[in-house]
Amino acid sequence: MAHRETAPYTAQNPREITQLIHSLEGHKGNKSKNSGGFSVRKHTFELPNGRTVDSWKMSDWDYKKANLPTYARGLFTYKTLAGNDEIAVRGYDKFFNHGEVRKTEWRNVEQNTRGPYELSVKENGCIIFVAGLDDGTLLVCSKHSTGARADVELSHAMAGERWVERHLATVGRTKSDLARRLRDMNATLVAELCDDDFEEHVLAYSKEEAGLYIHGINLNLPEFATYPGHLVDKFADEWGMKKVIYVMEDDITKVKKFLDTVAETGNYNGRDTEGFVIRCQARENEHSPWVDWFFKYKFEEPYLMYRQWRECTKAIIGGKPPRYKKHVNITKEYLDFARQKFVKNQGLAKKYNQNHGIIRLREEFLASRGTTGADIIRQEMEGGDVDSKDVVRNVVLVPIATIGCGKTTIALALVKLFGWGHFQNDNVKTKKGRGQVFADTISSLLVTNPVVFADRNNHQKRERDQLINDISKTMPNVRFVAIHYVHDRANFEPIRAATRARVLSRGDNHQTIQAGSKDQGEIIEIMEGFMHRFQPVDTSDAPDDHFDLVIDIDPTIESRENLEVVIEKLHSTYPGLFRDREMPTPSDLDAAVQWAMEYQPDFKMDLSRGGNNRGQNQNQNQNQNTNKRQNEPKPKKQPKMEYFGIRVQAPRINSILEAMFRDQDAQTAKFFRHLQNGRRIQAEFHVTLIHRASASQHQQYWEKLNALHGGVMQQANGNWEPELGKCGVHLERVIWDERIMCFVVRLNGAATLTASNETGKATEEVNFETVNAVAHITVGTADQSIKPKESNDLLQRWLNEGSGPNGIGELAVKGNLVLEGSVRGVLGRS
Ligand code: GTP
Ligand code: MG
């Protein structure tokens, strides 16, 4: 096995560290100013000797962004006695679960990593960092803090430090020995603190097993460099600490096989395990250097079942009904067992509530049945329990929010990205029975949409209860997901500031809350009402225990970030919803939010008592025609028509491409893989019929399509990119060069549609055809600077020269593949 024999060493460059700190400082706090970037929180900790260290913390999802100054999760810096900036502690680069990000998809792991692969059991305590400062003192930290904490008796960092002392005593060494040694190595020791006496986690550690498990030694550098496992072990032995078990593999297919096998039971080496961390080296592409890189493989069960048992046990101790939806039968049985135990042994319940005896109770239960957790899971799977992994439709997203949190923005962005359903309570045009109308509309949208966003504040349990009940009556299998805009009382001021700023600058651009023409005081009063009535999600009780998943988001941050959290959580919980489709890129998310923020409601009404709906609606209609009324503040500009196109289903296109290139040699598939790996495949595919840029050359056609769009839109209640008609798209061949790839297509019969025009009276025939020389679908471009319209140039060259040595690649699409396309006008973003 190819071992790296020697320890890596690189000294810190103080200038580089100063730059790093400046860059982090620049992203501190102020989240709203840099939506495309990342945000950092800095905490300064005072050390016993009066010096200070700074901890830098980024949001989890920020680590998925490109070009961060560092990807270290857990980073502490300080000023040396000589006045230099220095990294004191450096955690691992944030690593992701398999399949969680592009880089950890198996295809990419197989292609872009190399062994030896070290597979270590994901320990199940809390992470502890140990490092040496320039004055010979030892610094012990948890992920983002060090020293004592006001709110707990013994902080993680302090518990970690006690264990360091105990371990060192066994080998007769001191903390300053360790401090000096680590600073000479310019390294941070990374350990897992596993001690059930201190804090019980789900997996058991006996007295003998408790301690600090050393799993890594990282160089204190902005970029990630870490010791190979055998040298980590050697260090742990030398300093009296515990080692982690790891398995070595050279071959990635064996790695996968091993993990898949263990994942079937979640049990390894006789122990229930949370997952594995796989350490190896990776590179961005063939020309990039190999760098140290980790990913993880999390096991879902029986770990999750144990957690459910723990929560339910605490519920019954607290006199509340236990709430659970999974592992129903076995959990009932377990709870009966637990109740009996608590009755027999009086002190037990109290101890359990203090996190003691959790594992004992569980193991006694399993022993009494003569089964293991793994057995139970296996039996359940054989019995056909539906896992959230297998959910492919019937999901309702239920925001729990107040006015101006960004519900509609997130909803529209999801519509744009995934074509899901969305209905706004503000679009219910009656005053009576609004709740019922709202729920009924959501139910009916579920028939044609896998996911529907129920856009209403749902800020009170009463509303949640009504929505969940009314939908469940007709559709019993719906899963409800709470999009919980967390409203901690302590955070009310920032929430007020954020939501008011949004609502007031939105002006009249809303169906019912028209801050532009109403008295601002009145609007603020309405908003306050929602804040005061707000009831946070409480899944321990009805109706919130019906939520299958709760996604917490922050009303004060950018919708862009919240959108990402929502998609991430949905994706990891219900991967089936995203089956066969490319996940959107960060720039897709930017674009979708941008698009959503241009939203213009297509009607307005007054819900206040005595408000005159009809009048308001008429005004709005007038407004659409004349575009402005006197003494009304300027409305946001209506987005302009960008182009007309035929949209085809992205999952189909992606699977067709994958099938076409799967069996090609590396040279033929090279550009396609390049697009895939660089996330340069379009998220959405269409045949352009006519773009605004060529409107003047084909004025009649442009106007005709616009008129058709206007007519359909009038009837399309809230949908401003409604379908104008259908058109078959015959895929003929794929053409590419080193810049761009596209399909050459034929529009089948150029379907003729008869539709009512703007006045709703006359009818008109429209022949869908493209004004481009060759009808095509752009697949992707090599980089952002290359615009999709360059397909036209490529196809012109291909028409003149054909393919082959000129660098143009060509593959015919086999079979007679005709996709059903949807003709739509697509609005611009400005
Ligand atoms: P109601 O329907 O009134 O309850 O509000 P809502 O929760 O649906 O909020 P909405 O999505 O309408 O957002 C309120 C306003 O803030 C709109 O004008 C949005 O365009 C704008 N907005 C939403 N998210 C962001 C954001 O991240 N940044 C900025 N600058 N504006 C945002
Ligand atoms: Mg809204």
Side-chain angles (χ1 to χ4, degrees), residues 96-270:
F96 295 98
N97 200 12
H98 66 103
E100 186 180 353
V101 293
R102 198 50 85 87
K103 233 177 141 175
T104 62
E105 284 171 12
W106 274 107
R107 182 165 45 77
N108 295 329
V109 170
E110 278 162 10
Q111 234 169 48
N112 303 324
T113 67
R114 72 171 181 191
Y117 298 90
E118 296 172 14
L119 288 70
S120 55
V121 171
K122 195 171 171 297
E123 291 297 336
N124 169 245
C126 71
I127 202 161
I128 294 290
F129 299 119
V130 185
L133 301 184
D134 62 338
D135 57 7
T137 54
L138 193 73
L139 179 65
V140 182
C141 307
S142 59
K143 200 188 299 160
H144 299 298
S145 83
T146 184
R149 275 178 41 186
D151 54 335
V152 289
E153 217 174 289
L154 183 65
S155 73
H156 286 101
M158 286 164 69
E161 186 153 358
R162 285 191 194 175
W163 269 110
V164 171
E165 289 161 7
R166 271 196 242 181
H167 287 308
L168 290 178
T170 64
V171 288
R173 298 191 181 199
T174 66
K175 287 204 282 184
S176 47
D177 292 340
L178 180 59
R180 273 192 300 272
R181 174 69 180 281
L182 286 171
R183 189 156 187 278
D184 286 345
M185 290 158 57
N186 186 33
T188 298
L189 198 60
V190 191
E192 203 76 3
L193 170 61
C194 301
D195 178 0
D196 289 350
D197 283 341
F198 167 60
E199 182 180 60
E200 216 171 81
H201 291 263
V202 176
L203 307 178
Y205 289 85
S206 67
K207 279 251 177 310
E208 296 70 47
E209 288 168 326
L212 289 171
Y213 285 75
I214 307 301
H215 45 69
I217 300 175
N218 297 339
L219 294 190
N220 292 336
L221 301 171
E223 61 278 10
F224 184 42
T226 193
Y227 277 43
H230 66 105
L231 294 176
V232 176
D233 283 356
K234 199 167 146 232
F235 192 93
D237 279 341
E238 213 178 301
W239 295 85
M241 303 185 183
K242 298 202 173 282
K243 290 178 288 191
V244 293
I245 307 170
Y246 59 91
V247 178
M248 298 291 286
E249 273 300 352
D250 262 335
D251 179 353
I252 188 65
T253 54
K254 283 193 194 144
V255 169
K256 183 163 188 312
K257 207 162 157 201
F258 170 85
L259 293 169
D260 287 343
T261 312
V262 183
E264 278 171 28
T265 60
N267 191 287
Y268 175 68
N269 245 354

Side-chain angles (χ1 to χ4, degrees), residues 639-674:
K640 266 198 202 149
M641 182 60 68
E642 186 77 12
Y643 68 88
F644 287 92
I646 308 174
R647 191 189 294 169
V648 289
Q649 284 202 343
R652 280 299 302 279
I653 293 285
N654 282 312
S655 46
I656 290 165
L657 284 167
E658 191 54 55
M660 285 178 72
F661 283 100
R662 188 179 300 139
D663 302 324
Q664 301 298 331
D665 57 65
Q667 187 53 34
T668 310
K670 187 170 159 203
F671 185 64
F672 176 63
R673 297 294 172 210
H674 177 71

Side-chain angles (χ1 to χ4, degrees), residues 408 424 426 455 510:
T408 306
Q424 299 186 62
D426 292 303
D455 191 351
H510 191 267

